[in-house]
Amino acid sequence: MATGTNLRTWFDGAWHEGDVMVMRAADHGAWLGTTVFDGARFVQGIAPDLHAHCARVNRSAEALMIRPSVTTEEMVEIVREGLRAYPKDAAVYIRPMYWAIEGGDLGIVPTQTETGFCVSLEEIPMAPPEAATTLTTTRFRRPVLEDAVVNAKAGCLYPNNARMLAEARAKGFGNALVADALGNVAETATANIFMVKDGEVFTPIPNGTFLAGITRARHIRNMRADGMTVHETVLGFDDFRDADEVFMSGNMNKVTPVTAFDDREYQVGPVTRRVRELYWDWAHSDAEAAV
């Protein structure tokens, strides 16, 4: 079932209109969940960090023992070709995906002989600038590399994220602030997280339990170039309760202000607004983002 509208699918060497069937029942990815994907955005006629997202899906495939079959440069060109069918004012979610097809040892380890690949494009609106969310805690945690393929953007990780999000929604909140195995804050159920205290910005240091996102890294570079102090460090839930501002960072909506963490309320402050402004200023100035 598609999330958006106006879908286009690249599969088997060509673009097709609609949500095309791409996976067979006996494919390793369908049976044992060996699937990876990435997400980029086309909005206002640009696709920011498209190359970085395409490169990451290849790294994710390798982490899940899937052989990448399309180079980053080829993938970028495939996506650009597909996006030309959309109007410049469309907001499109760009999703390249790999899955394993055959299994080797006992059927468990994917073989390197054949790989499934497709790109799915679908129109999904950007959240309006005034959109915000609220956070609560969850009993579910982010795993470590010894437990799961946390070094990949893998489909098999998302049922755990879904549990977190469902628990938060059942409690009346929009999302969950999630701990790692040691109890330190890692991210939310769907995005990376930042907090602001006394004008300085803090975000959990990447420790191998969560995917430190491409948009997260872009925000950090933009903020530092603008003269802000940004700390990547160990943070606890009490740090967020004591924060002046909190915002989420992800590819889908770039910056999402947080207005509450349980009973602690926040204003959408000047740093959060500035981070969004910096992001779009950079995106529109980057020649590689133009489609």
Side-chain angles (χ1 to χ4, degrees), residues 136-137 162-175:
T136 187
T137 56
R163 299 192 301 177
M164 300 167 184
L165 194 58
E167 183 183 11
R169 296 290 174 86
K171 292 166 65 175
F173 293 85
N175 212 314

Side-chain angles (χ1 to χ4, degrees), residues 268-289:
V268 180
V271 175
T272 302
R273 292 193 295 270
R274 180 60 177 160
V275 171
R276 176 184 282 120
E277 180 182 286
L278 288 170
Y279 181 85
W280 290 113
D281 285 350
W282 162 80
H284 283 286
S285 68
D286 182 29
E288 292 186 2

Side-chain angles (χ1 to χ4, degrees), residues 23-101:
M23 191 181 293
R24 298 167 299 191
D27 282 0
H28 200 274
W31 178 30
L32 294 175
T34 42
T35 67
V36 296
F37 72 98
D38 217 286
R41 270 297 208 171
F42 172 76
V43 62
Q44 300 174 15
I46 56 175
D49 279 323
L50 176 59
H51 190 279
H53 285 284
C54 292
R56 188 171 65 179
V57 76
N58 279 348
R59 295 195 302 271
S60 292
E62 291 172 345
L64 214 63
M65 298 179 287
I66 303 169
R67 179 181 62 84
S69 57
V70 181
T71 69
T72 298
E73 289 70 23
E74 290 169 339
M75 201 180 304
V76 169
E77 287 309 309
I78 289 169
V79 171
R80 289 183 182 277
E81 180 185 12
L83 289 173
R84 293 186 188 110
Y86 291 88
K88 291 293 185 180
D89 61 351
V92 180
Y93 185 64
I94 304 162
R95 187 170 56 246
M97 294 178 281
Y98 283 111
W99 61 96
I101 290 180

Side-chain angles (χ1 to χ4, degrees), residues 127-280:
E130 66 273 14
T133 194
T134 57
L135 299 176
T136 187
T137 56
T138 173
R139 66 191 179 98
F140 303 110
R141 295 192 178 191
R142 289 292 303 169
V144 297
L145 185 60
E146 289 76 10
D147 300 331
V149 284
V150 289
N151 56 337
K153 196 170 177 68
C156 58
L157 296 173
Y158 279 77
N160 194 39
N161 297 51
R163 299 192 301 177
M164 300 167 184
L165 194 58
E167 183 183 11
R169 296 290 174 86
K171 292 166 65 175
F173 293 85
N175 212 314
L177 192 60
V178 180
D180 61 19
L182 296 177
N184 300 311
V185 171
E187 58 175 356
T188 72
T190 61
N192 295 138
I193 191 75
F194 289 84
M195 54 163 275
V196 182
K197 181 66 178 176
D198 298 329
E200 298 188 1
V201 181
F202 299 79
T203 190
I205 189 167
N207 62 1
T209 67
F210 65 94
L211 209 59
I214 290 167
T215 306
R216 171 189 180 276
R218 181 62 63 189
H219 289 324
I220 291 173
R221 286 194 290 271
N222 288 344
M223 285 187 283
R224 286 176 173 164
D226 197 51
M228 296 187 199
T229 300
V230 183
H231 305 273
E232 295 182 88
T233 187
V234 176
L235 296 168
F237 291 108
D238 285 343
D239 293 309
F240 281 84
R241 293 186 179 98
D242 193 43
D244 301 322
E245 302 175 42
V246 177
F247 63 92
M248 291 164 42
S249 158
N251 166 67
M252 185 64 78
N253 292 309
K254 308 306 180 184
V255 176
T256 302
V258 173
T259 56
F261 173 38
D262 288 333
D263 58 357
R264 170 71 166 95
E265 295 184 352
Y266 313 99
Q267 297 296 315
V268 180
V271 175
T272 302
R273 292 193 295 270
R274 180 60 177 160
V275 171
R276 176 184 282 120
E277 180 182 286
L278 288 170
Y279 181 85
W280 290 113

